[in-house]
């Protein structure tokens, strides 16, 4: 894979400077303290210091990532990106930084290796997508994304999609230069009172649900966007991201049926237990409902774990989420809810078949 040029910032610089670099270069920023690599700052991680981006130092917002070797394969890079939902990873030889690999290089390599064959957008998209009105205040969009643990909202006006707003757009509302946003009367707080339409992206790349993952990857590469809104006519029905494409490749390449992402280095040891519990649950419901795979995504805020689970299958896609101060406790709640949904789906299917026979 081709290496991209690294964008570097010193650990003692303010987070607002990293935000400007991300906006200018479109990639994550690597944080170094002298020659020591501390981690990366990107759109997903900036929430760690989003309340005070001008006073928060980059060392506090940096998230430690896997480090790739220059010999890393596309499959190895794909797994590293998926493990923490990263967008930019450093390539190092010992302590020497050689460059970075971004999602774009990995997607291009996966396309060359033919890893997208036979898979559709519909089977891998996240649906439904959350929406917000264009005339809503930025503070509402911010609260919605925090509550749902998502990073993007489709923006609607009179029921039609007119844009897309992301966590990064909202951070610009808080930390962007005042001369670029004259409506921001007193800095960050005024920014949150402005309308979503002031910060949304109006040029939104879309794709139909019937398209293939190969077409989705090609569109992301051509437009250099990390996500596509899935539309059915004028209606947004879902979203597909580079992360979703990485996930599909890991399932089909390694024939695994349970994946876990988002665990920190301190919590990695729990991965085997999470996978084991997930496989047991799939085994129990697999006799009554066709299932293909289960994905766990873990986010940790302070000492609280937020866990979301997604079951994929030819008949149904089931989703559940829970939070707890104990990781396995949150996983257990997610599995219980997914099992309940599976049983409900089974009963609904039986009733439909009975009604068809009666009719």
């Amino acid at each position: 894979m081709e290496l991209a040029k690294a964008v570097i910032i010193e650990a003692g610089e303010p987070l607002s400077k990293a935000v400007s670099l991300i906006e200018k270069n479109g990639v994550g920023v690597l944080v170094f303290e002298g020659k020591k690599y501390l981690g990366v700052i990107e759109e997903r991680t900036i929430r760690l210091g989003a309340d005070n981006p001008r006073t928060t130092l980059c060392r506090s917002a940096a998230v430690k990532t896997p480090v790739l070797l220059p010999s890393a394969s596309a499959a190895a890079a794909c797994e590293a990106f998926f493990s923490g939902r990263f967008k930019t990873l450093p390539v190092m030889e010992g302590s020497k930084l050689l460059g970075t690999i971004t999602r774009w290089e990995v997607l291009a390599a996966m396309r060359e290796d033919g890893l997208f064959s036979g898979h559709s957008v519909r089977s891998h998209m996240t649906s439904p997508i959350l929406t917000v009105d264009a005339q809503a205040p930025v503070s509402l969009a911010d609260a919605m994304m925090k509550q749902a643990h998502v990073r993007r909202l489709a923006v609607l006006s009179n029921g039609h999609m007119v844009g897309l707003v992301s966590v990064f757009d909202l951070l610009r509302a808080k930390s962007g230069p005042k001369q670029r946003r004259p409506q921001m009367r007193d800095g960050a707080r005024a920014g949150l009172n402005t309308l979503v339409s002031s910060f949304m992206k109006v040029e939104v790349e879309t794709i139909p649900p019937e398209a293939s993952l190969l077409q989705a990857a090609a569109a992301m590469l051509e437009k250099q966007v990390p996500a596509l809104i899935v539309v059915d006519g004028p209606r947004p029905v879902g979203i597909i991201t580079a992360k979703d494409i990485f996930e599909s490749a890991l399932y089909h390449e390694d024939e695994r049926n349970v994946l876990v992402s988002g665990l920190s280095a301190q919590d990695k040891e729990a991965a085997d237990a999470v996978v084991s519990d997930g496989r047991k649950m799939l085994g129990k419901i697999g006799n009554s409902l066709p299932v293909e795979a289960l994905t766990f995504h873990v986010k940790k805020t302070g000492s609280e774990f937020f866990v979301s689970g997604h079951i994929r299958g030819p008949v149904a896609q089931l989703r559940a989420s829970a939070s707890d101060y104990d990781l396995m406790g949150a996983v257990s709640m997610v599995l219980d809810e997914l099992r309940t949904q599976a049983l409900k789906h089974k009963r609904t299917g039986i009733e439909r078949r009975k009604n068809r026979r009666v009719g």
Side-chain angles (χ1 to χ4, degrees):
M1 285 179 290
E2 219 174 288
L3 297 188
K5 182 180 179 181
V7 180
I8 302 171
I9 194 168
E10 279 294 322
E13 294 284 359
L15 179 61
S16 55
K17 184 173 180 179
V19 172
S20 297
L21 288 173
I22 294 171
E23 184 175 15
K24 177 182 177 181
N25 296 282
V27 296
V29 178
L30 304 185
V31 181
F32 277 81
E33 193 152 41
K35 294 184 178 181
K36 183 181 179 182
Y37 170 65
L38 297 186
V40 68
I41 294 176
E42 49 192 18
E43 293 178 28
R44 183 183 66 87
T45 59
I46 51 180
R47 275 199 185 277
L48 296 174
D51 290 335
N52 298 288
R54 294 188 181 90
T55 58
T56 299
L57 300 184
C58 287
R59 67 166 56 88
S60 301
V63 173
K64 196 64 178 289
T65 70
V67 175
L68 295 174
L69 297 173
S71 58
S73 65
C78 178
E79 179 147 14
F81 273 88
F82 178 79
S83 68
R85 306 172 79 174
F86 304 111
K87 299 179 180 179
T88 305
L89 293 177
V91 179
M92 302 181 72
E93 201 163 39
S95 60
K96 182 181 179 182
L97 177 67
L98 302 180
T100 63
I101 287 180
T102 71
R103 295 164 301 183
W104 315 127
E105 287 79 37
V106 180
L107 283 175
M110 291 170 67
R111 181 171 60 176
E112 290 177 9
D113 291 347
L115 297 179
F116 304 134
S117 177
H119 308 302
S120 69
V121 167
R122 185 186 299 277
S123 62
H124 291 280
M125 70 180 184
T126 297
S127 180
I129 183 172
L130 289 180
T131 62
V132 66
D133 192 88
Q135 298 305 302
V138 166
S139 57
L140 175 62
D142 189 44
M144 288 176 65
M145 283 192 269
K146 285 180 179 177
Q147 182 176 8
H149 295 268
V150 298
R151 300 195 301 280
R152 301 176 187 85
L153 301 173
V155 183
L156 304 183
S157 178
N158 296 321
H160 292 83
M161 186 172 67
V162 294
L164 186 71
V165 67
S166 70
V167 168
F168 190 67
D169 298 324
L170 299 191
L171 188 64
R172 287 195 295 110
K174 297 180 182 181
S175 64
K178 291 183 182 180
Q179 64 270 23
R180 292 178 57 191
R181 303 291 178 186
Q183 69 271 38
M184 293 173 65
R185 297 181 301 280
D186 60 353
R189 290 183 181 177
L192 288 179
N193 292 326
T194 59
L195 302 181
V196 168
S197 58
S198 300
F199 290 93
M200 70 182 186
K201 294 182 179 70
V202 294
E203 294 182 5
V204 181
E205 303 300 330
T206 63
I207 195 166
E210 296 77 19
S212 67
L213 287 189
L214 177 60
Q215 290 172 312
M220 289 179 189
L221 287 168
E222 179 185 354
K223 303 296 184 180
Q224 292 287 283
V225 293
L228 303 169
I229 302 301
V230 185
V231 293
D232 185 2
R235 296 185 306 112
V237 296
I239 184 170
I240 187 160
T241 67
K243 182 268 299 179
D244 296 320
I245 294 179
F246 295 152
E247 179 181 316
S248 73
L250 290 175
Y251 279 132
H252 298 291
E253 182 75 4
D254 295 342
E255 297 184 348
R256 286 181 283 181
N257 64 345
V258 178
L259 294 175
V260 184
S261 74
L263 287 175
S264 66
Q266 296 88 339
D267 300 312
K268 282 285 187 184
E269 59 198 33
D272 289 344
V274 175
V275 169
S276 177
D277 286 0
R279 284 177 175 162
K280 289 176 184 176
M281 194 274 291
L282 287 182
K284 290 178 180 178
I285 69 172
N287 295 325
S288 56
L289 182 69
V291 293
E292 293 177 346
L294 166 62
T295 304
F296 291 103
H297 293 301
V298 181
K299 294 183 182 181
K300 189 176 183 181
T301 304
S303 57
E304 186 175 18
F305 294 92
F306 176 85
V307 179
S308 59
H310 177 198
I311 288 180
R312 301 184 189 277
V315 176
Q317 294 199 35
L318 310 177
R319 298 178 185 276
S321 60
S323 60
D324 198 286
Y325 290 100
D326 175 65
L327 172 61
M328 297 310 297
V331 168
S332 179
M333 286 187 280
V334 167
L335 291 176
D336 286 344
E337 174 59 24
L338 289 173
R339 188 181 296 109
T340 299
Q341 291 182 26
L343 292 174
K344 181 179 179 181
H345 194 278
K346 177 187 176 183
R347 287 194 296 268
T348 302
I350 292 173
E351 290 172 2
R352 286 175 179 169
R353 288 193 293 272
K354 286 182 178 178
N355 291 336
R356 283 198 295 267
R357 286 196 295 268
V358 172

